[in-house]
Amino acid sequence: MVKGLERMGAQLKELPDMTSVAAFSRSLDSLLLGKPVRTTSTEEQSDKPASPKKALRLQAQQLADARKLFGTFDKNGDGEVAAEEIASALGVSAELPLMTRLMTFLDTDGNGTVSFIELVRGLEKMGQVYAEVPDLSSPEKFRQSLEEIAKVEETAQKVEVKKRAELQAREERERQEREREEAEAQRKEEKEESRKEERRERRKEEERRKEDDEQKREQHDKSPQARYNEVKADLATRGLSGKLLPVHEAARDRRLTAVLAYVICGGGDDGELQSRDAAGLTSLHHAVIAGIPTHVKMLLAAEVDTTEKTPAGETPLQLAVKRGNKKIVKQLSAKAALAAIGTNDSAAICVAAASGAEECNK
């Protein structure tokens, strides 16, 4: 039967499917109807167009070699060979990757053994995958062919691994480049936003400066009496009317020098220059406490009383000494205030002397 199948394969260039009786019958019908078996002359054979191949099939010599090779594997003649039998005939270990790969092609039904039909189909599949069928002329050449295929496959795997590694490396470089670009874009955006914020702050500062300048110009353009009235109205708004007079507010505020000068020159209410506020402080007390030498000088020039004491019993000079304001101490000493504070004011006298007051050196 085997020889008959081999002859059929040689003539039809293809073996019928022998996996089952029904499959065998259908395969024969297809082969015989599609390509009748008959004896023809060489001329007739050459004139007849060849039917196109649907899949790779072993040639007659390859089938004969496969039959012999299978007989080499099948020592016990049971028609089934295991991986160990094939490995033994090839002189290799059944545990080799080469054998594992071979069995994936040959053991088509996964039962752990290979029949002759499985061997043929497996070899044909190998031919499709690797573009050629292994050399079947002997076990040694079959093994050599398998080793060559394994080398080619290993090389292909290495190339594939290398390609994947290169692809991953390229993707990683591209990812890093994208991250750098995004970080750079973010940095530029933040820098631009910072510049915009700086410009906004500069504009705000310029606007504030313009407003301040405008207010200063408005204050400068106003008459001293108008400014005096504004201070008076402001005190009323703050609920300080009757507690502070404009002269007291002006004496302790550097911005209100013009208002103080207005009162000194006779403006304001009667007796305002020499008056005390609700806390018992004079305008000179306020100027000394605020530490404004210009206002102290103006009040001294107006001949205000330098001996007036606070409710705590402190004179303007004592207040200046207490605060360590040597410039104001010199101003008060220069007006001969020492003689009026009494001989018991030794601390003030010593500070005045240290300040270089002429009255202390007489």
Side-chain angles (χ1 to χ4, degrees):
M1 179 179 177
V2 173
K3 290 183 178 181
L5 289 173
E6 290 175 349
R7 285 195 300 271
M8 184 183 296
Q11 289 182 339
L12 299 178
K13 306 300 182 183
E14 184 176 3
L15 285 172
D17 189 343
M18 293 175 281
T19 57
S20 67
V21 175
F24 183 76
S25 177
R26 288 194 301 270
S27 181
L28 282 177
D29 291 341
S30 176
L31 290 171
L32 292 174
L33 290 174
K35 189 173 183 180
V37 180
R38 62 187 179 90
T39 304
T40 58
S41 63
T42 306
E43 292 78 6
E44 291 176 335
Q45 291 180 356
S46 61
D47 293 338
K48 184 175 180 179
S51 59
K53 290 184 178 181
K54 295 183 179 179
L56 188 147
R57 293 290 183 263
L58 296 184
Q59 303 301 313
Q61 184 59 49
Q62 290 176 318
L63 284 171
D65 291 341
R67 178 77 264 179
K68 293 178 182 178
L69 189 63
F70 187 80
T72 305
F73 298 155
D74 189 16
K75 298 293 185 182
N76 57 11
D78 62 355
E80 298 284 338
V81 292
E84 289 77 9
E85 294 177 277
I86 298 175
S88 176
L90 297 179
V92 297
S93 171
E95 304 299 326
L96 287 178
L98 179 147
M99 286 300 304
T100 303
R101 181 63 172 161
L102 177 63
M103 290 302 291
T104 61
F105 283 102
L106 302 185
D107 188 12
T108 57
D109 59 8
N111 66 351
T113 60
V114 179
S115 66
F116 176 68
I117 296 300
E118 286 182 301
L119 175 65
V120 172
R121 295 298 181 223
L123 291 172
E124 290 173 347
K125 188 175 181 181
M126 290 179 71
Q128 292 174 346
V129 173
Y130 300 115
E132 63 176 351
V133 177
D135 191 337
L136 308 174
S137 58
S138 68
E140 181 180 355
K141 290 185 178 180
F142 182 63
R143 176 178 56 79
Q144 291 174 351
S145 296
L146 293 178
E147 290 174 347
E148 289 297 326
I149 290 174
K151 289 180 181 178
V152 171
E153 193 171 48
E154 182 181 359
T155 301
Q157 290 175 350
K158 289 181 178 179
V159 171
E160 183 63 24
V161 169
K162 184 178 180 181
K163 287 182 179 178
R164 286 199 298 269
E166 291 175 350
L167 177 61
Q168 291 176 352
R170 184 169 64 252
E171 291 176 347
E172 178 63 19
R173 289 194 298 271
E174 291 174 352
R175 184 189 64 79
Q176 293 177 354
E177 182 63 24
R178 285 195 302 270
E179 289 181 352
R180 283 194 295 270
E181 290 176 354
E182 291 173 358
E184 180 64 17
Q186 180 67 19
R187 187 187 67 80
K188 289 182 178 179
E189 183 178 350
E190 292 176 353
K191 188 174 182 180
E192 182 62 25
E193 185 61 30
S194 177
R195 290 175 178 172
K196 289 180 180 179
E197 183 63 26
E198 289 177 359
R199 288 194 291 269
R200 285 194 292 267
E201 289 298 325
R202 283 198 296 270
R203 284 196 295 270
K204 290 180 180 179
E205 182 62 28
E206 289 174 359
E207 291 173 358
R208 286 194 294 267
R209 190 161 48 248
K210 288 180 181 179
E211 290 177 359
D212 292 343
D213 293 342
E214 185 64 25
Q215 290 177 357
K216 289 179 180 178
R217 282 194 297 271
E218 290 177 357
Q219 292 293 334
H220 180 73
D221 293 341
K222 289 179 180 178
S223 66
Q225 184 177 359
R227 296 183 68 183
Y228 173 88
N229 291 334
E230 285 183 355
V231 174
K232 194 171 185 178
D234 179 64
L235 291 174
T237 302
R238 291 155 53 191
L240 297 177
S241 293
K243 298 179 180 179
L244 281 177
L245 295 176
V247 69
H248 302 137
E249 183 73 2
R252 63 182 186 177
D253 192 334
R254 298 177 188 275
R255 297 170 299 177
L256 299 178
T257 302
V259 174
L260 179 62
Y262 172 74
V263 176
I264 291 174
C265 294
D269 297 334
D270 293 338
E272 183 175 346
L273 186 62
Q274 300 290 345
S275 66
R276 292 176 178 265
D277 63 11
L281 301 179
T282 66
S283 56
L284 182 59
H285 291 147
H286 281 293
V288 172
I289 293 172
I292 308 176
T294 303
H295 289 186
V296 172
K297 183 178 180 180
M298 292 171 63
L299 291 168
L300 292 178
E303 300 293 336
V304 296
D305 191 351
T306 60
T307 63
E308 293 282 356
K309 296 183 179 180
T310 66
E314 295 176 308
T315 63
L317 178 59
Q318 288 174 313
L319 290 174
V321 171
K322 185 177 181 179
R323 284 162 176 73
N325 195 320
K326 294 183 178 181
K327 187 171 184 179
I328 293 178
V329 169
K330 288 181 180 180
Q331 290 175 321
L332 294 172
S333 300
K335 293 297 282 186
L338 293 177
I341 63 175
T343 55
N344 60 337
D345 194 3
S346 58
I349 294 173
C350 292
V351 173
S355 300
E358 294 179 1
E359 289 79 358
C360 297
N361 296 323
K362 291 181 181 180

